[in-house]
Amino acid sequence: MKIVKTLKNKIVNRDATVKQALKIIESNHQGYAIIVDQNGFVEGVLTDGDFRRWSLTQSIIDLDTAVGSICHKQFLALTYDSPIETIRNRLSNERRFVPLVDGHNRLVAIAEQKQEIIWLSDFAVTTNSKTFIIAEIGLNHNGSIETALKMIDLAAAAGVDSVKFQMRCLSDLYLNGGNANDIAEDLGSQYVLDLLNKYQLSNEEMYAAFDHCKKVGVIPICTPWDSTSLGLLEAYGMDAYKVASADFTNHDFLIELSKTGKTLICSTGMCSEQEIVDSINVLNNHSANFVLLHCNSTYPTPYKDVNLNYIKKLKEISNTFIGYSGHERGHHIPLAAVSMGAKVIEKHFTLDKGLEGNDHKVSLLPAELSEMVRQIRELEVAMGSGDSRIPTQGELMNRNTLAKSLIAARDILQGEKFTDDMFMIKAPGKGLQPNVKKALLGTFAKRSFSTGSYFFESDLPNAIVSDRKQFKFNRPFGVPVRFHDYKALSVDSNVDFLEFHLSYKDLTFDIDKNFSEIFDLDFIVHCPDTFEGDFLLDLSSLSEQHRKRSIYELQRTIDLTKNLKKYFNKATTPLIVVSLGGVSEHGPISNEERQQRYELMSQSLKALDTRDIEIIGQTLPPYPWYFGGQLYLNLFVFPDDTVEFCKKNNMRVCFDISHSMLTCNQFNLSFSNFVEAIAQHTAHIHIADASGVDGEGLQIGEGQVDFKHLAERLDILCPSASFIPEIWQGHKDNGSGFWTALSRLESLF
């Protein structure tokens, strides 16, 4: 059981709408909300089940209904001063919470069946949450409120979740009243008292620092060292408290802290295991919400004494979330702690390691703090779920290039029974993997194969694959092609155009020598992204040499497009789809650099001869796959700056649905809003599904895109824009991936 006094994410006013109440329930991860009037008197409760039961009785579900009219009014509440055992006994798997009220029925707290969630202000620590990172300023402001405020700004810029201070009432805390000149004190105590007397902030300055934390978006936390300080922090409204290692064996103070109902972050430095167990029992007996931090309280801690493996034992004996408070040099040990399951990291922070005070020398400088936060966030992503092993999009791309395939070792007639001598294994991995041979052996060929032919999914015994047909769409549609397969993919279907996806070698293709007929179609060209010498086209590069070559390569593509036009009867002003650039190697760039690079991109476009063709930049994903690995993209990623660039440069876009869905997933953007912004500037659409932050080019219906809603908005916002199904590897097996996509889209577009 735990007693919760932080109520802002658990209560809803009776006049609020059902929709607002559901948002509270969703955000608190607990499945309920307490309904109160304007004075805090409890009127009812609303759970997930209550909402479901109400909705089943409604012919039309009106989420704007006042929640006070639908909440469950027959509920159990207990007085806050009820015995702990009485409260605990009323909780069960069926009754997961009980409101605790005062004598006037005003909500004071909530008793909850202990669950796998700990709240630090509005940050939910769960098994799957990101790490809660605390920048410990402590006394490292050295008594200057200006320095403290500057450090808060730098910590926030580094990306921490919280900034921590310490508060002491020296006259109450020390037997000698905090006298730094007491010659009877030991040398160590004299040193600490001297620092405290010189460098403590006043209470008013502390409050100003806490307010500034909230202003810049980090959670203020403080360590109270005595009851007087705790009272001052309670009066301020502190949401959570840090318990210093020195106080973890102070059971009376632990009880006092527990009674606040706030979450306690408890360091365990200087404690034996039995002392840790005893203090855990005290906290549990008083229904405290707490996280334990593994810690060694020496400054700096020798690496041999860190004992990170004790995190596992601490988790076992506490049955709560574990973190790490580090006093060693550097920031690599906290990274290891996160890899071992630490959900809270605390690290000291300073502007100058040479300042007076023993905390400074074990602290991180601003750049080091930023690097630690960045590396922790990267590590969290790299840890994954551990649930299964599925090849990533990048791996599949590399497997297609580097792996081997089943190949027909001789001509095979339709209906022949597959035997082992019919197969050979050769690179690249364009067809079925070699391990699939066993699924074919003993079955019968569904088609004829010539020597050297690849085997595909459609050749498997129970495969169901869509084939080309006469499709019906409300807008022009086509398929992606290469110079080697455009004829095969354009027959027996009614495509309106072909989109030629060029490699850099295709720019040397002799069109007049190889094109012998004129097509009654339109066409689009997709410019290569990469060129000989590992060169990536980028019209926004900060390198003038790189920009010049990008302009040169794009102009070659333009010239080829102009020459290709005479072979397509319906071509007027051919579109050229281009990934215009904005790549970075080690991380996203700043807003300032983005604007600079947009300006360079604009200048580069003006250097091109674009007569008789139209350049359309495609919307790009945050993490593109180039050269078999992942990089970062920064331009044509976000909707607002993309639209702004289009307006300034009179440009339309290729709206890549898959790319933009990945952007919305990465940055928690509304995909509907993205569509509303971009579609009005769209000339052409690449359609594929998407998943996560880099799963692009998926088959329709196998990702996260709501294609029904998408089609409805595109019909209104850009009804004449053309489209292709840009399914990754959709060209294999005579374009089966494209035909499947078109079949699934036909009822929508």
Side-chain angles (χ1 to χ4, degrees), residues 293-355:
L293 304 188
H294 176 52
C295 177
N296 183 290
S297 298
T298 48
Y299 303 80
T301 303
Y303 296 125
K304 69 179 182 61
D305 295 336
V306 170
N307 193 18
L308 274 185
N309 277 323
Y310 192 70
I311 287 176
K312 304 172 187 175
K313 184 68 174 294
L314 200 55
K315 177 71 174 177
E316 291 175 9
I317 64 179
S318 66
N319 193 31
T320 190
F321 292 109
I322 305 301
Y324 177 69
S325 178
H327 301 119
E328 69 289 325
R329 296 178 179 90
H331 63 267
H332 52 299
I333 302 301
L335 295 175
V338 171
S339 74
M340 298 176 69
K343 301 303 297 184
V344 176
I345 291 294
E346 179 186 58
K347 192 70 176 168
H348 287 262
F349 170 49
T350 185
L351 301 182
D352 184 348
K353 296 184 182 185
L355 293 176

Side-chain angles (χ1 to χ4, degrees), residues 208-226:
F210 301 154
D211 290 343
H212 192 68
C213 286
K214 295 177 180 179
K215 180 181 177 181
V216 299
V218 295
I219 298 168
I221 290 179
C222 192
T223 299
W225 282 78
D226 51 81

Side-chain angles (χ1 to χ4, degrees), residues 45-274:
V45 299
L46 185 74
T47 66
D48 291 332
D50 294 329
F51 172 72
R52 286 194 297 272
R53 284 186 287 272
W54 170 76
S55 62
L56 289 173
T57 66
Q58 307 298 303
S59 56
I60 298 176
I61 299 174
D62 183 4
L63 295 182
D64 290 326
T65 302
V67 70
S69 66
I70 77 159
C71 67
H72 186 63
K73 298 183 184 297
Q74 302 299 317
F75 62 93
L76 172 70
L78 297 174
T79 58
Y80 180 68
D81 57 3
S82 299
I84 289 294
E85 283 306 310
T86 300
I87 299 172
R88 183 178 285 116
N89 289 337
R90 301 310 296 267
L91 293 169
S92 64
N93 290 334
E94 290 72 35
R95 182 183 289 121
R96 295 176 290 112
F97 66 95
V98 174
L100 303 179
V101 298
D102 62 14
H104 302 285
N105 201 40
R106 282 190 292 257
L107 186 67
V108 176
I110 304 170
E112 291 181 344
Q113 192 82 303
K114 195 163 187 176
Q115 297 183 356
E116 283 297 302
I117 183 169
I118 294 287
W119 285 95
L120 293 166
S121 186
D122 57 357
F123 186 105
V125 178
T126 69
T127 302
N128 298 318
S129 70
K130 68 176 186 176
T131 309
F132 187 77
I133 303 176
I134 304 169
E136 160 78 82
I137 290 179
L139 293 179
N140 281 359
H141 47 67
N142 281 33
S144 167
I145 182 60
E146 291 77 16
T147 299
L149 298 180
K150 179 180 180 181
M151 294 180 75
I152 291 168
D153 289 339
L154 290 168
V160 304
D161 302 293
S162 174
V163 171
K164 191 181 85 68
F165 292 90
Q166 301 176 17
M167 181 181 277
R168 296 170 176 84
C169 176
L170 296 180
S171 61
D172 286 358
L173 179 60
Y174 280 90
L175 181 62
N176 70 359
N179 181 8
N181 299 313
D182 187 350
I183 62 173
E185 284 294 342
D186 291 339
L187 293 176
S189 296
Q190 282 185 345
Y191 173 71
V192 171
L193 279 167
D194 186 48
L195 292 176
L196 295 176
N197 276 277
K198 286 193 294 187
Y199 294 143
Q200 283 211 123
L201 295 175
S202 69
N203 295 337
E204 291 71 23
E205 289 173 328
M206 292 287 281
Y207 296 155
F210 301 154
D211 290 343
H212 192 68
C213 286
K214 295 177 180 179
K215 180 181 177 181
V216 299
V218 295
I219 298 168
I221 290 179
C222 192
T223 299
W225 282 78
D226 51 81
S227 297
T228 301
S229 298
L230 177 58
L232 291 169
L233 293 170
E234 277 290 278
Y236 172 80
M238 190 62 58
D239 287 334
Y241 293 112
K242 171 68 193 301
V243 180
S245 292
D247 265 323
F248 196 56
T249 57
N250 185 351
H251 292 178
D252 289 345
F253 197 42
L254 288 182
I255 293 169
E256 190 176 353
L257 286 160
S258 299
K259 288 180 178 178
T260 68
K262 311 293 177 60
T263 297
L264 309 179
I265 304 172
C266 305
S267 280
T268 58
M270 303 185 290
C271 294
S272 68
E273 183 169 304
Q274 187 56 55

Side-chain angles (χ1 to χ4, degrees), residues 443-463:
T443 66
F444 297 90
K446 296 159 70 173
R447 63 183 175 97
S448 295
F449 296 82
S450 58
T451 303
S453 296
Y454 288 92
F455 291 85
F456 298 106
E457 293 286 336
S458 60
D459 297 316
L460 293 171
N462 299 318

Side-chain angles (χ1 to χ4, degrees), residues 653-718:
V653 299
C654 170
F655 188 1
D656 190 299
I657 302 302
S658 184
H659 289 172
S660 298
M661 186 75 219
L662 300 179
T663 292
C664 292
N665 289 343
Q666 169 63 22
F667 299 105
N668 197 27
L669 304 177
S670 163
F671 186 62
S672 293
N673 291 345
F674 200 114
V675 173
E676 297 294 320
I678 295 295
Q680 300 175 64
H681 302 273
T682 294
H684 180 54
I685 309 168
H686 286 172
I687 297 184
D689 218 328
S691 179
V693 299
D694 57 12
E696 64 177 277
L698 303 185
Q699 183 56 265
I700 306 302
E702 297 180 8
Q704 298 170 283
V705 177
D706 182 345
F707 285 99
K708 183 176 185 300
H709 177 72
L710 174 67
E712 291 170 353
R713 298 312 300 158
L714 294 180
D715 281 347
I716 295 171
L717 297 169
C718 54

Side-chain angles (χ1 to χ4, degrees), residues 530-546:
T530 59
F531 295 83
E532 187 175 7
D534 287 350
F535 182 83
L536 183 63
L537 188 140
D538 189 347
L539 297 180
S540 77
S541 173
L542 299 177
S543 163
E544 183 178 2
Q545 181 180 3
H546 195 108

